[in-house]
Structure formats: structure tokens, C-alpha cells
Amino acid sequence: GWIGHGGWGGDLVFRELIQHRDGSLGTKFVPEMIPASGPPLTLNPVALDGKIDWEGICLKMVSIPESAALLTSIPANVRLMMQVESTCDLWQIGLLNGAGQGINIQFDGREQQVTMVGSLDLWSAGSENPVLGPITCLDRPFLLDLIVKNGVIDLCLDQQHTLIARRKGAVGSQLRLAVKDGSAIFSDITVRPL
């Protein structure tokens, strides 16, 4: 497929097709085409709201009613991977600049969808805020794999759902995780520069 880019075709996007047991199709990153990355960065999340518990590569968050944590010094070109286990219906990942502006990836368990929104200019295939759904993994533990390179934000969930958009300009140097009305465990967190 193609990801639009300001009036021209844009970048060619490759995906590996997978077939689910019910016969439907999904997509995932092609392992041989994932950009090379450097060593994992040392992370030190800071609680913004609510309670967090950090254990090296595992972040536990409990919201009453909302909890948020911030990771700073995130490279502009980055690969972020983590296992996610959430008991809340709404949570998000934000890639933000120092003023708190950027892109938020919102996960909605009730609607079974993921949306890219925020104070940014996205170029996507016909949608200001790209939406992916139905997502069948949000109610159980799953792998989240996010690659950001040269303004392209590429997301793969559970090795079977992908969503991509392009941002005009740099994405941000901060990673914000937020949960609402529940709790979440983000484990095996790795952030690697590309």
C-alpha cells in the first residue's frame, strides 16, 4: 500500500498478510524489513498523575480516575516495543514535544479501536485521524510495536493489526503513557534509536 504525502503518492508500505482462524486477514510488519536499531535506552519514567510503579522494564499504572507517566529523551527516529495488559477501557500513548504537543495514539477497548489524534498535521489515506478497528486484542495481553522514522508513525498490535500515518515534522522527544478508570501493566518496555 501507499501512505499519502502532501499531494503525491508518498512512501510504499510493505506488510505481511496473515490469515486468522475465521478466514479473515490481518497485517503485521515484515520482519526482514524492520529498520535496524541501536541498543535499548535506559528509561526513568516520571509520574504525572496517579500512581505508577517502575521495575526496570515494567511500568504498572493505577488510575483514580487517571494516571499518567512521562519518559523523556526519546529519539525522533525510534522503535518502541512493550507487552500491554490493561484492565481499563481507555488508555493512550503520546509522542510529544516539550510543550506537550504531538500525536496521541488512543486505545478504546469498548469500541475495539485505535485512533491517532492530537495537535499535529497528519497525512494519511483520506482521514485526518486514522482509525483502526475492530481490534481483537485489547481485552487481553498483547505486543505493541511502534516504529517512528522520518515522520512516519507505524504501529503493529499483536502481530496482526497495523496502522500508519505521516506527521509533518518531528514527532516529539517525550513518551507519555496514560490510563483512565482502571489499571495497566506495560512490561518488557524497550526504546531503541533507529
Side-chain angles (χ1 to χ4, degrees):
W2 294 90
I3 179 173
H5 181 58
W8 63 280
D11 299 298
L12 182 60
V13 178
F14 291 94
R15 292 289 186 256
E16 185 172 319
L17 283 176
I18 60 163
Q19 186 171 20
H20 301 159
R21 290 186 185 146
D22 67 359
S24 64
L25 297 176
T27 57
K28 67 178 189 173
F29 293 159
V30 179
E32 299 84 2
M33 299 183 83
I34 293 174
S37 58
L41 302 177
T42 301
L43 305 174
N44 294 305
V46 175
L48 298 176
D49 298 304
K51 181 183 177 207
I52 71 166
D53 184 21
W54 175 246
E55 298 171 3
I57 58 170
C58 183
L59 178 63
K60 297 178 183 176
M61 300 175 69
V62 177
S63 69
I64 306 173
E66 187 172 324
S67 178
L70 186 69
L71 297 153
T72 59
S73 301
I74 303 297
N77 294 318
V78 67
R79 183 173 188 196
L80 165 70
M81 295 179 72
M82 66 176 80
Q83 283 291 132
V84 178
E85 184 174 354
S86 174
T87 64
C88 55
D89 285 328
L90 297 170
W91 59 279
Q92 69 179 6
I93 296 174
L95 297 164
L96 311 171
N97 62 21
Q101 297 177 329
I103 184 170
N104 287 301
I105 305 170
Q106 299 177 340
F107 298 81
D108 186 333
R110 275 182 249 136
E111 298 293 325
Q112 292 188 321
Q113 69 182 23
V114 177
T115 308
M116 290 187 186
V117 297
S119 50
L120 57 124
D121 294 322
L122 281 177
W123 283 315
S124 61
S127 174
E128 181 63 29
N129 295 320
V131 177
L132 178 65
I135 304 294
T136 58
C137 64
L138 297 181
D139 60 350
R140 60 180 166 74
F142 66 92
L143 175 66
L144 181 148
D145 193 350
L146 178 68
I147 297 173
V148 180
K149 187 169 183 182
N150 301 329
V152 174
I153 302 122
D154 204 356
L155 177 67
C156 183
L157 302 176
D158 202 37
Q159 297 290 306
Q160 60 180 326
H161 304 284
T162 58
L163 180 64
I164 189 167
R166 175 186 291 281
R167 168 124 199 262
K168 298 175 187 176
V171 173
S173 61
Q174 300 178 351
L175 176 68
R176 181 179 182 268
L177 298 165
V179 298
K180 186 172 181 153
D181 297 325
S183 64
I185 299 172
F186 303 98
S187 59
D188 299 325
I189 300 172
T190 57
V191 176
R192 297 175 182 268
L194 297 181

